[in-house]
Structures are given as C-alpha cells and as structure tokens.
Amino acid sequence: MTDLKSYLLERHTPTYMAYYRGKMSYRFHGDAWRAYVQQNYQDLSAGFTSENIFKDVIDAYAENLIPVVPELSAFRDAAIPLLIRGEALAVLTSDGSLTFPERFEVVSDGNYHMAMIMTRSLREGEDYLTFIDSDGNAELYSMPTPDDLATSREGYTLVEQTSGHQLYRFAMDTLGMGDSLASLQDRINHSIIDQTVVAEMYARPFWYLLNYQSTPQNPYLAPELQPPHQPLVEQATQSGGGRVFATSSQGPFGQLEPPTIGDMVNYHDSLIRKVTQTSGIPEFYFNPSGGSTVSGRALMILSKRFNNRISRIRESIEPELLRMLRDMGVYTSDADAPHLWSVDTDVTQGAIDEHGLALTQMGFPKRYVAEVVAPGVNLDDYADDGYPGGPSVVTVEGA
C-alpha cells in the first residue's frame, strides 16, 4: 500500500482545466514567432481565447452523460473530468455524503482502486490529501496552505484513519479527449493570433525603396569613428506593423504581398472542420450561421458516430452508477433499477429534420423521407394512423 501511495504522489496527470476555462494557449510555434508575439502582445498568455472549442466539445458530450435520476444530478462534476481524462471518481462517505472530486490521481487494475484526492479549505487555511481505496479505508493528511496559495505534495502529516466509505471509479473504454482537443485548441488559438497580426499589418502601408545606397562602413575603424549612417531601413524592418525593403539595383523590386486575410480565414475554417473530424460533432453545431447544413448520408454518419460514442461511454459507466444508487438506497433489487438516461441525445436530429422537410418539398415519397429523418424506425408501426407509413391527415370541415 505504501508503494501505491508513493506512486500516486509522483503522478501528475494533466487535467486540462485551463483549456476548459478558455485560457489562451499556443504550444505549437517557432522561436521567431514566439519572440515576435511576446514583444508585441505581452499580455496575450494571460488572456482567454475567443473560440473555446475545447469546452464546446466537452459540454456537448457531458450534456448527454447526466443521468435523469435526481440523486445523480451532481454527476456533471464527474462528467467533465471523465471526458477529458478518461476517468472520474465519486466518494460516498460513511455519513452518506456523495462527492465528485475534481483534483485526483487514481490507480486501478479493474477491480481494486486506490485514489489520492487533493482538496483545500480556505476557511481553515489547510490543504488536504486523502488516500482512499476500494475497501473503504481512508487516510487523511493535512498541511497549512502556503502563503502564495501554491500546491504541494510534500510536508503533510497524518490526521486520521477511517473506514466504511465507498469509492467509485468511472472509466471510458478509450482514453479521454483532453490530449487531442488541447492540441487542436492550440492550433486554433495560434490561428487567431496570426489573423490579428496580419490584420495589423494591413492597417499600415507597405513600402519599398529602389536604387537605395547605404552609407559605407569601414570595418577597420572603431564604431565611434564610423561615418553617420542612415537608420531608415534598419528601423523600418524591425517594425512589427509593416515592412520596408531596400535594394541598390535600378528595380523593379519583386512582389510585396503579405498573407491575405482570406487565406488566414480559410485556414482557420479548416481547423474548425477538424473539430468535427475529431469529435464526431457536426460543424454547424459550433457555427450555426456558417452556411447551410450538410445533408443526407453525411448527417447520418455524423449522427451514428456521435450516438455510438455516447452509448459506449454510458455502457462503461452505467454499472458503477447503478452500484452507487444501490449503496445510497435508491433501489434494492435489479428489477427496481431506475432508467438512467434521456432518449434525446442526437445533436444532428434538427439538421436531419430540416433535410427531410426539403426532400418533402421536392416531392420525395413520404416513406423515404421518414427513413432519412428517423433511420431505424419501423414505419409499419404507424400504419394504423390513416395511411401506410405515416400518421393520419386530419381534415376540418369548412376549412
């Protein structure tokens, strides 16, 4: 057990909560780009992104992982780390309190779990480490909160040992989305900065000089004995807002065209499309006014991909959720086990409905349109409603 605690103390699993909160990040960059940005946009790293795709994707999935059982309404606190890290925890204490830790480390072989939970009390001025395992044993350690509010994993002393708790571990069948979404968010933030830089360039003119002769410099003279030189070109080429090119030839001098705003916007839009490729969520979900929605087979594929992923996650965590509800006394036998999930999970259904309406207006058969709008539904179940394959048409006298 001591080895497991040491292992947990040494682990530092990324939580990506700074990404979720929208903190500006741009890990992928060259040295020259970083130097330019730091020189001209000093406060950028302390700001927040204007397009937090990371949060949008996580929230879209989390909305479909909140059980409809009232006792589990707080599971939202676990759904976010579950999606980001691929695992989440819940603790039912011996006095009946249910908590979903945000900062934790956990090790598991599938049957036995041990977790280290990190919490802080500003009122008491104490930081706490709690080690808890699947057998319900817990050890609480504490230390005074540092003056700078920094976190530490050293200097704790044992406070108490208790038992009778329940530890629940929720795990996805795959790794969490944090790594891939964070990489994509970095590229999107980088693109936002690039567009800002290019826009600022366009706000200033681009100049060039022809037949320009710089004052000659004698390499054998001391700097203070050199003739005064013209600093025009040197100063201008260092300006972040424009470019000055000089040549001693008679001209003409090349082409002065920076990256166009249109090129930058097209590249940025291609990154947004990659969000759909990564998450399975349609592009129009992130940009509802960004043009017409995709239709037909593409919508079906996206719908199936998203819903299948939601179903897999639900299947992975449902046994642990039911065990938690049983321990809480919500039900006592499998026959009384509550249904956990809402049936409304499809983020593409609205677009599919729109596509079906368009097909109807084009004169496509109702049975075909219904199959597009509600794939997998047995239309024969509605044959008694008035006509084969659909609900009856009600006519009103005098209308």
Side-chain angles (χ1 to χ4, degrees), residues 201-220:
M201 288 180 179
Y202 270 98
R204 301 182 184 184
F206 289 77
W207 303 95
Y208 64 89
L209 301 178
L210 300 180
N211 199 17
Y212 171 80
Q213 295 290 343
S214 178
T215 304
Q217 301 291 309
N218 189 334
Y220 301 102

Side-chain angles (χ1 to χ4, degrees), residues 303-321:
S303 174
K304 188 172 184 179
R305 182 187 302 174
F306 179 80
N307 289 331
N308 284 350
R309 194 166 189 180
I310 291 293
S311 296
R312 291 200 308 270
I313 298 174
R314 287 178 173 180
E315 290 174 0
S316 299
I317 65 177
E318 184 169 320
E320 200 76 337
L321 287 172

Side-chain angles (χ1 to χ4, degrees), residues 23-26 33 37 41-48 189 193:
K23 194 71 179 294
M24 195 66 177
S25 60
Y26 40 90
W33 186 92
V37 169
Y41 304 91
Q42 294 88 350
D43 298 332
L44 188 63
S45 60
F48 293 84
N189 292 343
I193 298 171

Side-chain angles (χ1 to χ4, degrees), residues 305-345:
R305 182 187 302 174
F306 179 80
N307 289 331
N308 284 350
R309 194 166 189 180
I310 291 293
S311 296
R312 291 200 308 270
I313 298 174
R314 287 178 173 180
E315 290 174 0
S316 299
I317 65 177
E318 184 169 320
E320 200 76 337
L321 287 172
L322 290 176
R323 183 171 75 91
M324 182 191 303
L325 289 175
R326 182 189 284 268
D327 293 340
M328 294 170 63
V330 176
Y331 75 102
T332 56
S333 65
D334 293 340
D336 299 329
H339 182 70
L340 298 179
W341 311 113
S342 169
V343 297
D344 183 17
T345 62

Side-chain angles (χ1 to χ4, degrees), residues 99-161:
T99 60
F100 297 95
E102 178 182 336
R103 300 181 63 240
F104 62 87
E105 298 289 349
V106 61
V107 58
S108 173
D109 62 3
N111 295 313
Y112 178 82
H113 325 305
M114 172 170 277
M116 179 184 71
I117 301 170
M118 293 153 279
T119 55
R120 167 174 290 174
S121 173
L122 292 178
R123 181 184 298 276
E124 303 295 334
E126 293 284 328
D127 286 359
Y128 301 101
L129 283 183
T130 303
F131 292 94
I132 184 171
D133 61 18
S134 297
D135 296 332
N137 302 312
E139 293 183 359
L140 176 64
Y141 295 80
S142 72
M143 68 171 289
T145 301
D147 294 337
D148 58 359
L149 300 182
T151 58
S152 174
R153 298 191 182 185
E154 299 178 352
Y156 288 86
T157 58
L158 179 64
V159 177
E160 63 177 359
Q161 296 177 324

Side-chain angles (χ1 to χ4, degrees), residues 348-371:
T348 66
Q349 189 59 51
I352 294 177
D353 292 341
E354 180 181 333
H355 179 54
L357 179 60
L359 293 178
T360 302
Q361 295 170 346
M362 293 168 62
F364 278 77
K366 290 186 174 67
R367 177 174 288 275
Y368 171 76
V369 174
E371 290 176 351

